[in-house]
């Protein structure tokens, strides 16, 4: 037993009201807390009864939560799979119970795509490519080798796998660009700081850090400053998400470029839930709209950012 918080629910229990069971990854990053807020606020606005659980980044807790939603006979189940693999059994249980499942944010590697109605979330490979394109441009005139350290997201998660793939695909066009070290910081600030502290000892001459999310980049900034170096100058930093603290560091010049990954999936999720309940068809893949930011663009955008 234990692990993960109990499923909290909000909103009345009217008989024609839709009940959605959402199994969240955890609360590991600024992105995740903004994503949770978007889902909770949107459920309220949509009059949908939300049952919500936090799996503390453990797959077994997400599976437990999904099973509890099946027991409670919710109308729809939605979740962001912490890792890509290991979902077929529980998704089959949901299918056999006649409960449609919506994937948000991260996807699964199940061969049987009938196990879920749709996948609503970002194109992480495109995010990695955008980071790579900026890197190729930024170092086009560099004289020697550009030593890159990569802070990977949660091992086995779709964003970690795809952001690494998209980035590597693009930077291979310039042989000067070399990934000399790559390690997971599990999407957390503490993880990013610990990995960077070790990195700076083993690779003191790294030119750039590519972080799979802002929280790890912010941890890296702490480690770089503790080592007496200037983040954004001595070591170039590129990251993904564009959450408030990342955008602040970008605006301050401690990060050089951020690829946005929007957590505000709540409104689209509630639309999908209502369509599914009404038996209407939904596209199999819904890709989130998102952009990129330079320091100047961050300065302009910060005042109006929701997260
Ligand atoms: C991406 C999401 C990732 C964020 C991290 O959609 O799954 O998980 O990039 C978060 O900040 O922890």
């Amino acid at each position: 037993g234990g692990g993960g918080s109990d499923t909290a629910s909000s909103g009345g229990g009217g008989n024609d009201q839709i009940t959605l069971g959402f199994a969240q990854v955890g609360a590991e990053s600024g992105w995740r807390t903004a994503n949770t807020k978007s889902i909770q606020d949107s459920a309220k606005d949509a009059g949908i009864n939300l049952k919500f659980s936090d799996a503390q980044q453990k797959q077994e807790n997400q599976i437990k939560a999904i099973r509890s939603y099946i027991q409670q006979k919710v109308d729809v189940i939605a979740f962001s799979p912490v890792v890509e693999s290991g979902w077929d059994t529980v998704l089959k249980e949901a299918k056999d119970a006649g409960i449609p499942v919506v994937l948000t944010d991260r996807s699964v590697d199940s061969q049987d795509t009938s196990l879920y109605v749709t996948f609503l979330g970002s194109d992480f490979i495109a995010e990695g490519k955008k980071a790579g394109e900026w890197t190729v441009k930024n170092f086009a005139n560099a004289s020697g080798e550009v030593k890159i350290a990569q802070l990977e997201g949660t091992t086995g998660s779709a964003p970690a796998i795809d952001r690494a793939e998209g980035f590597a695909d693009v930077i291979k066009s310039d042989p000067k660009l070399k990934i000399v070290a790559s390690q997971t910081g599990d999407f957390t600030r503490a993880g990013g700081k610990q990995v960077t502290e070790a990195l700076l000892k083993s690779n003191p001459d790294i030119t750039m850090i590519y972080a799979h999310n802002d929280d790890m980049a912010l941890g890296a900034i702490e480690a770089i400053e503790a080592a007496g170096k200037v983040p954004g100058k001595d070591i170039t930093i590129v990251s993904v998400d564009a959450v408030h603290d990342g955008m602040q560091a970008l605006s301050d010049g401690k990060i050089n470029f951020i690829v946005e990954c929007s957590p505000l999936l709540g409104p689209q999720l509630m639309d999908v839930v209502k369509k599914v309940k009404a038996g209407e068809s939904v596209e199999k893949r819904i890709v989130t709209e998102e952009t990129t930011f330079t320091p100047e663009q961050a300065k302009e955008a910060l005042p109006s950012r929701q997260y």
Side-chain angles (χ1 to χ4, degrees):
S5 57
D6 292 342
T7 49
S9 59
S10 64
N15 47 22
D16 61 346
Q17 192 183 32
I18 298 173
T19 297
L20 166 66
F22 192 91
Q24 181 61 294
V25 167
E28 74 281 0
S29 64
W31 190 97
R32 189 61 57 196
T33 43
N35 178 246
T36 290
K37 188 174 180 322
S38 173
I39 290 159
Q40 292 174 333
D41 292 353
S42 310
K44 222 171 277 151
D45 297 348
I48 286 174
N49 176 28
L50 178 69
K51 292 181 181 300
F52 186 88
S53 67
D54 169 334
Q56 294 169 328
Q57 286 190 283
K58 292 187 180 69
Q59 180 172 31
E60 69 265 20
N61 289 342
Q62 279 193 300
I63 291 173
K64 268 186 219 152
I66 292 170
R67 287 198 165 119
S68 84
Y69 296 145
I70 294 171
Q71 295 300 324
Q72 298 173 62
K73 297 187 173 15
V74 300
D75 294 300
V76 182
I77 291 170
F79 75 118
S80 167
V82 60
V83 292
E84 283 190 336
S85 310
W87 301 100
D88 287 31
T89 303
V90 73
L91 292 180
K92 190 109 185 41
E93 290 166 21
K95 184 177 179 183
D96 293 347
I99 301 177
V101 174
V102 174
L103 300 182
T104 71
D105 168 28
R106 300 182 186 177
S107 189
V108 299
D109 61 9
S110 303
Q111 297 305 312
D112 179 0
T113 57
S114 78
L115 291 174
Y116 53 89
V117 174
T118 183
F119 165 37
L120 158 62
S122 303
D123 178 344
F124 300 130
I125 291 184
E127 290 173 351
K129 286 185 186 288
K130 290 174 189 173
E133 282 150 16
W134 183 88
T135 302
V136 168
K137 266 206 301 288
N138 187 62
F139 291 105
N141 304 324
S143 49
E145 189 180 65
V146 177
K147 298 177 189 313
I148 302 169
Q150 180 170 232
L151 301 182
E152 302 167 10
T154 301
T155 304
S157 70
I161 293 166
D162 293 352
R163 285 173 185 163
E165 179 185 323
F167 184 75
D169 262 4
V170 169
I171 66 164
K172 70 182 181 219
S173 66
D174 181 345
K176 290 196 311 295
L177 304 174
K178 282 243 174 322
I179 297 179
V180 296
S182 189
Q183 202 176 331
T184 183
D186 208 20
F187 281 133
T188 65
R189 286 193 193 205
K193 183 176 180 187
Q194 279 151 20
V195 171
T196 303
E197 280 164 353
L199 214 58
L200 290 175
K201 294 194 180 77
S202 56
N203 295 275
D205 56 349
I206 50 165
T207 320
M208 169 179 155
I209 285 176
Y210 167 45
H212 288 177
N213 82 329
D214 290 348
D215 286 69
M216 292 192 291
L218 292 161
I221 286 170
E222 288 178 44
I224 291 166
E225 289 177 333
K229 294 196 171 191
V230 181
K233 293 200 175 27
D234 297 335
I235 298 179
T236 299
I237 299 180
V238 173
S239 125
V240 185
D241 275 352
V243 293
H244 178 271
D245 293 355
M247 292 286 269
Q248 190 58 57
L250 177 62
S251 169
D252 298 342
K254 295 186 176 182
I255 293 178
N256 302 85
F257 186 68
I258 296 185
V259 176
E260 185 184 35
C261 175
S262 175
L264 304 181
L265 303 175
Q268 284 174 290
L269 172 58
M270 299 313 150
D271 287 348
V272 165
V273 167
K274 286 186 171 175
K275 279 185 174 167
V276 167
K277 188 66 192 140
E280 291 167 30
S281 70
V282 174
E283 308 101 277
K284 196 70 185 170
R285 178 76 177 90
I286 305 167
V287 183
T288 341
E289 300 293 316
E290 51 203 30
T291 180
T292 58
F293 292 97
T294 62
E296 302 67 45
Q297 291 163 336
K299 281 191 184 64
E300 275 159 43
L302 263 168
S304 60
R305 295 287 284 178
Q306 293 180 55
Y307 59 95

